[in-house]
PDB file of all heavy atoms in Angstrom:
ATOM      1  N   ARG A  28       2.089  14.300 -17.381  1.00 97.00           N
ATOM      2  CA  ARG A  28       1.613  14.869 -18.639  1.00 97.00           C
ATOM      3  C   ARG A  28       0.252  15.554 -18.490  1.00 97.00           C
ATOM      4  O   ARG A  28      -0.170  16.281 -19.383  1.00 97.00           O
ATOM      5  CB  ARG A  28       1.553  13.790 -19.724  1.00 97.00           C
ATOM      6  CG  ARG A  28       0.517  12.720 -19.528  1.00 97.00           C
ATOM      7  CD  ARG A  28       0.637  11.665 -20.633  1.00 97.00           C
ATOM      8  NE  ARG A  28      -0.229  10.537 -20.402  1.00 97.00           N
ATOM      9  CZ  ARG A  28      -0.176   9.403 -21.124  1.00 97.00           C
ATOM     10  NH1 ARG A  28       0.722   9.278 -22.094  1.00 97.00           N
ATOM     11  NH2 ARG A  28      -0.993   8.413 -20.865  1.00 97.00           N
ATOM     12  N   GLU A  56       5.754   2.889 -25.103  1.00 97.00           N
ATOM     13  CA  GLU A  56       4.593   3.035 -25.977  1.00 97.00           C
ATOM     14  C   GLU A  56       3.514   3.907 -25.334  1.00 97.00           C
ATOM     15  O   GLU A  56       2.861   4.708 -26.008  1.00 97.00           O
ATOM     16  CB  GLU A  56       4.004   1.660 -26.306  1.00 97.00           C
ATOM     17  CG  GLU A  56       4.912   0.788 -27.157  1.00 97.00           C
ATOM     18  CD  GLU A  56       4.343  -0.612 -27.355  1.00 97.00           C
ATOM     19  OE1 GLU A  56       3.368  -0.949 -26.634  1.00 97.00           O
ATOM     20  OE2 GLU A  56       4.852  -1.350 -28.207  1.00 97.00           O
ATOM     21  N   PRO A  72      27.726  -0.153 -12.905  1.00 96.00           N
ATOM     22  CA  PRO A  72      27.690  -1.626 -12.851  1.00 96.00           C
ATOM     23  C   PRO A  72      26.701  -2.126 -11.802  1.00 96.00           C
ATOM     24  O   PRO A  72      26.622  -1.575 -10.695  1.00 96.00           O
ATOM     25  CB  PRO A  72      29.135  -1.993 -12.474  1.00 96.00           C
ATOM     26  CG  PRO A  72      29.950  -0.847 -12.972  1.00 96.00           C
ATOM     27  CD  PRO A  72      29.107   0.378 -12.780  1.00 96.00           C
ATOM     28  N   TYR A  81      19.713   7.272  -1.289  1.00 98.00           N
ATOM     29  CA  TYR A  81      18.434   7.981  -1.199  1.00 98.00           C
ATOM     30  C   TYR A  81      18.544   9.213  -0.310  1.00 98.00           C
ATOM     31  O   TYR A  81      17.840  10.219  -0.537  1.00 98.00           O
ATOM     32  CB  TYR A  81      17.330   7.038  -0.693  1.00 98.00           C
ATOM     33  CG  TYR A  81      17.390   6.706   0.775  1.00 98.00           C
ATOM     34  CD1 TYR A  81      16.718   7.497   1.709  1.00 98.00           C
ATOM     35  CD2 TYR A  81      18.100   5.601   1.239  1.00 98.00           C
ATOM     36  CE1 TYR A  81      16.751   7.193   3.064  1.00 98.00           C
ATOM     37  CE2 TYR A  81      18.139   5.293   2.581  1.00 98.00           C
ATOM     38  CZ  TYR A  81      17.466   6.093   3.498  1.00 98.00           C
ATOM     39  OH  TYR A  81      17.503   5.787   4.837  1.00 98.00           O
ATOM     40  N   GLY A 141       3.369  20.666   8.828  1.00 98.00           N
ATOM     41  CA  GLY A 141       2.388  20.888   7.779  1.00 98.00           C
ATOM     42  C   GLY A 141       2.640  20.063   6.542  1.00 98.00           C
ATOM     43  O   GLY A 141       2.382  20.507   5.417  1.00 98.00           O
ATOM     44  N   LEU A 142       3.125  18.830   6.751  1.00 98.00           N
ATOM     45  CA  LEU A 142       3.439  17.929   5.643  1.00 98.00           C
ATOM     46  C   LEU A 142       2.402  16.810   5.559  1.00 98.00           C
ATOM     47  O   LEU A 142       2.034  16.211   6.570  1.00 98.00           O
ATOM     48  CB  LEU A 142       4.838  17.337   5.819  1.00 98.00           C
ATOM     49  CG  LEU A 142       5.990  18.350   5.811  1.00 98.00           C
ATOM     50  CD1 LEU A 142       7.286  17.684   6.239  1.00 98.00           C
ATOM     51  CD2 LEU A 142       6.144  18.995   4.438  1.00 98.00           C
ATOM     52  N   ILE A 158     -18.881   1.728  -2.192  1.00 97.00           N
ATOM     53  CA  ILE A 158     -20.317   1.429  -2.130  1.00 97.00           C
ATOM     54  C   ILE A 158     -20.642   0.709  -0.827  1.00 97.00           C
ATOM     55  O   ILE A 158     -21.627   1.033  -0.139  1.00 97.00           O
ATOM     56  CB  ILE A 158     -20.741   0.577  -3.344  1.00 97.00           C
ATOM     57  CG1 ILE A 158     -20.679   1.400  -4.633  1.00 97.00           C
ATOM     58  CG2 ILE A 158     -22.149   0.014  -3.146  1.00 97.00           C
ATOM     59  CD1 ILE A 158     -20.840   0.581  -5.894  1.00 97.00           C
ATOM     60  N   THR A 194      12.095 -12.469   4.495  1.00 97.00           N
ATOM     61  CA  THR A 194      12.531 -13.559   5.370  1.00 97.00           C
ATOM     62  C   THR A 194      11.724 -13.562   6.671  1.00 97.00           C
ATOM     63  O   THR A 194      11.086 -12.570   7.030  1.00 97.00           O
ATOM     64  CB  THR A 194      14.021 -13.426   5.680  1.00 97.00           C
ATOM     65  OG1 THR A 194      14.304 -12.092   6.130  1.00 97.00           O
ATOM     66  CG2 THR A 194      14.852 -13.701   4.425  1.00 97.00           C
ATOM     67  N   LEU A 211      -9.442  -2.770   5.087  1.00 97.00           N
ATOM     68  CA  LEU A 211     -10.687  -2.624   4.345  1.00 97.00           C
ATOM     69  C   LEU A 211     -11.901  -2.864   5.235  1.00 97.00           C
ATOM     70  O   LEU A 211     -12.905  -2.134   5.152  1.00 97.00           O
ATOM     71  CB  LEU A 211     -10.703  -3.578   3.150  1.00 97.00           C
ATOM     72  CG  LEU A 211     -11.828  -3.386   2.141  1.00 97.00           C
ATOM     73  CD1 LEU A 211     -11.852  -1.954   1.613  1.00 97.00           C
ATOM     74  CD2 LEU A 211     -11.679  -4.376   0.993  1.00 97.00           C
ATOM     75  N   GLU A 249     -13.882  -5.093  18.041  1.00 97.00           N
ATOM     76  CA  GLU A 249     -14.398  -4.606  19.320  1.00 97.00           C
ATOM     77  C   GLU A 249     -15.822  -5.046  19.610  1.00 97.00           C
ATOM     78  O   GLU A 249     -16.258  -5.015  20.756  1.00 97.00           O
ATOM     79  CB  GLU A 249     -14.299  -3.077  19.370  1.00 97.00           C
ATOM     80  CG  GLU A 249     -15.020  -2.359  18.249  1.00 97.00           C
ATOM     81  CD  GLU A 249     -14.736  -0.865  18.256  1.00 97.00           C
ATOM     82  OE1 GLU A 249     -14.540  -0.310  19.355  1.00 97.00           O
ATOM     83  OE2 GLU A 249     -14.704  -0.242  17.179  1.00 97.00           O
ATOM     84  N   LYS A 283     -32.995 -11.305  10.323  1.00 97.00           N
ATOM     85  CA  LYS A 283     -32.416 -11.585   9.008  1.00 97.00           C
ATOM     86  C   LYS A 283     -30.923 -11.263   9.052  1.00 97.00           C
ATOM     87  O   LYS A 283     -30.425 -10.686  10.022  1.00 97.00           O
ATOM     88  CB  LYS A 283     -33.111 -10.760   7.917  1.00 97.00           C
ATOM     89  CG  LYS A 283     -32.997  -9.269   8.090  1.00 97.00           C
ATOM     90  CD  LYS A 283     -33.898  -8.504   7.121  1.00 97.00           C
ATOM     91  CE  LYS A 283     -35.354  -8.638   7.499  1.00 97.00           C
ATOM     92  NZ  LYS A 283     -36.233  -7.793   6.658  1.00 97.00           N
ATOM     93  N   HIS A 289     -17.124  -9.821  -2.218  1.00 94.00           N
ATOM     94  CA  HIS A 289     -16.347  -9.219  -3.293  1.00 94.00           C
ATOM     95  C   HIS A 289     -15.379 -10.257  -3.852  1.00 94.00           C
ATOM     96  O   HIS A 289     -14.462 -10.691  -3.154  1.00 94.00           O
ATOM     97  CB  HIS A 289     -15.542  -8.024  -2.778  1.00 94.00           C
ATOM     98  CG  HIS A 289     -16.392  -6.860  -2.381  1.00 94.00           C
ATOM     99  ND1 HIS A 289     -15.860  -5.735  -1.782  1.00 94.00           N
ATOM    100  CD2 HIS A 289     -17.731  -6.639  -2.494  1.00 94.00           C
ATOM    101  CE1 HIS A 289     -16.834  -4.872  -1.547  1.00 94.00           C
ATOM    102  NE2 HIS A 289     -17.968  -5.401  -1.970  1.00 94.00           N
ATOM    103  N   PHE A 311      -5.135 -18.512 -20.915  1.00 87.00           N
ATOM    104  CA  PHE A 311      -6.480 -18.131 -20.485  1.00 87.00           C
ATOM    105  C   PHE A 311      -6.378 -17.326 -19.202  1.00 87.00           C
ATOM    106  O   PHE A 311      -5.728 -17.745 -18.248  1.00 87.00           O
ATOM    107  CB  PHE A 311      -7.346 -19.371 -20.261  1.00 87.00           C
ATOM    108  CG  PHE A 311      -8.732 -19.057 -19.779  1.00 87.00           C
ATOM    109  CD1 PHE A 311      -9.689 -18.570 -20.654  1.00 87.00           C
ATOM    110  CD2 PHE A 311      -9.079 -19.230 -18.447  1.00 87.00           C
ATOM    111  CE1 PHE A 311     -10.976 -18.268 -20.207  1.00 87.00           C
ATOM    112  CE2 PHE A 311     -10.353 -18.930 -17.997  1.00 87.00           C
ATOM    113  CZ  PHE A 311     -11.305 -18.452 -18.886  1.00 87.00           C
ATOM    114  N   TYR A 319      -5.647  -1.897 -12.131  1.00 93.00           N
ATOM    115  CA  TYR A 319      -4.725  -1.104 -12.947  1.00 93.00           C
ATOM    116  C   TYR A 319      -4.600  -1.722 -14.332  1.00 93.00           C
ATOM    117  O   TYR A 319      -4.347  -2.917 -14.465  1.00 93.00           O
ATOM    118  CB  TYR A 319      -3.337  -1.036 -12.295  1.00 93.00           C
ATOM    119  CG  TYR A 319      -2.268  -0.495 -13.236  1.00 93.00           C
ATOM    120  CD1 TYR A 319      -2.097   0.877 -13.393  1.00 93.00           C
ATOM    121  CD2 TYR A 319      -1.469  -1.353 -13.987  1.00 93.00           C
ATOM    122  CE1 TYR A 319      -1.149   1.380 -14.275  1.00 93.00           C
ATOM    123  CE2 TYR A 319      -0.521  -0.854 -14.866  1.00 93.00           C
ATOM    124  CZ  TYR A 319      -0.366   0.506 -15.013  1.00 93.00           C
ATOM    125  OH  TYR A 319       0.566   1.002 -15.888  1.00 93.00           O
ATOM    126  N   ILE A 378      -8.411   8.714   1.775  1.00 98.00           N
ATOM    127  CA  ILE A 378      -6.970   8.498   1.698  1.00 98.00           C
ATOM    128  C   ILE A 378      -6.497   8.033   3.069  1.00 98.00           C
ATOM    129  O   ILE A 378      -6.794   8.660   4.083  1.00 98.00           O
ATOM    130  CB  ILE A 378      -6.231   9.799   1.324  1.00 98.00           C
ATOM    131  CG1 ILE A 378      -6.704  10.339  -0.026  1.00 98.00           C
ATOM    132  CG2 ILE A 378      -4.717   9.560   1.280  1.00 98.00           C
ATOM    133  CD1 ILE A 378      -6.104  11.699  -0.380  1.00 98.00           C
TER     134      ILE A 378
END
Side-chain angles (χ1 to χ4, degrees):
R28 68 184 173 189
E56 293 175 348
Y81 74 90
L142 298 170
I158 291 170
T194 50
L211 190 55
E249 57 187 328
K283 61 190 72 174
H289 292 174
F311 178 76
Y319 167 84
I378 301 174

